[in-house]
PDB file of all heavy atoms in Angstrom:
ATOM      1  N   ILE Z 290       0.129 -50.672  21.082  1.00  0.00           N
ATOM      2  CA  ILE Z 290      -0.478 -50.089  19.826  1.00  0.00           C
ATOM      3  C   ILE Z 290      -1.899 -49.882  19.976  1.00  0.00           C
ATOM      4  O   ILE Z 290      -2.451 -48.923  19.564  1.00  0.00           O
ATOM      5  CB  ILE Z 290      -0.102 -51.010  18.635  1.00  0.00           C
ATOM      6  CG1 ILE Z 290       1.400 -50.908  18.360  1.00  0.00           C
ATOM      7  CG2 ILE Z 290      -0.893 -50.552  17.388  1.00  0.00           C
ATOM      8  CD1 ILE Z 290       1.811 -51.860  17.261  1.00  0.00           C
ATOM      9  N   PHE Z 475      -8.551   1.247 -11.996  1.00  0.00           N
ATOM     10  CA  PHE Z 475      -9.937   1.511 -11.527  1.00  0.00           C
ATOM     11  C   PHE Z 475     -10.142   2.851 -10.991  1.00  0.00           C
ATOM     12  O   PHE Z 475     -11.156   3.562 -11.307  1.00  0.00           O
ATOM     13  CB  PHE Z 475     -10.208   0.461 -10.382  1.00  0.00           C
ATOM     14  CG  PHE Z 475     -11.520   0.619  -9.769  1.00  0.00           C
ATOM     15  CD1 PHE Z 475     -12.613   0.167 -10.404  1.00  0.00           C
ATOM     16  CD2 PHE Z 475     -11.669   1.192  -8.538  1.00  0.00           C
ATOM     17  CE1 PHE Z 475     -13.897   0.415  -9.868  1.00  0.00           C
ATOM     18  CE2 PHE Z 475     -12.984   1.304  -7.850  1.00  0.00           C
ATOM     19  CZ  PHE Z 475     -14.000   0.921  -8.648  1.00  0.00           C
ATOM     20  N   LEU Z 580      -1.322  32.479 -40.240  1.00  0.00           N
ATOM     21  CA  LEU Z 580      -0.873  32.166 -41.588  1.00  0.00           C
ATOM     22  C   LEU Z 580      -1.308  30.684 -41.956  1.00  0.00           C
ATOM     23  O   LEU Z 580      -1.710  30.439 -43.124  1.00  0.00           O
ATOM     24  CB  LEU Z 580       0.684  32.195 -41.681  1.00  0.00           C
ATOM     25  CG  LEU Z 580       1.385  33.625 -41.500  1.00  0.00           C
ATOM     26  CD1 LEU Z 580       2.781  33.393 -41.556  1.00  0.00           C
ATOM     27  CD2 LEU Z 580       0.778  34.530 -42.492  1.00  0.00           C
ATOM     28  N   THR Z 746      -0.843  -5.435 -31.234  1.00  0.00           N
ATOM     29  CA  THR Z 746      -1.836  -4.328 -31.090  1.00  0.00           C
ATOM     30  C   THR Z 746      -2.072  -4.034 -29.656  1.00  0.00           C
ATOM     31  O   THR Z 746      -2.095  -2.842 -29.207  1.00  0.00           O
ATOM     32  CB  THR Z 746      -3.157  -4.625 -31.902  1.00  0.00           C
ATOM     33  OG1 THR Z 746      -2.821  -4.804 -33.250  1.00  0.00           O
ATOM     34  CG2 THR Z 746      -4.097  -3.543 -31.650  1.00  0.00           C
TER      35      THR Z 746
END
Side-chain angles (χ1 to χ4, degrees):
I290 291 174
F475 178 71
L580 294 182
T746 300

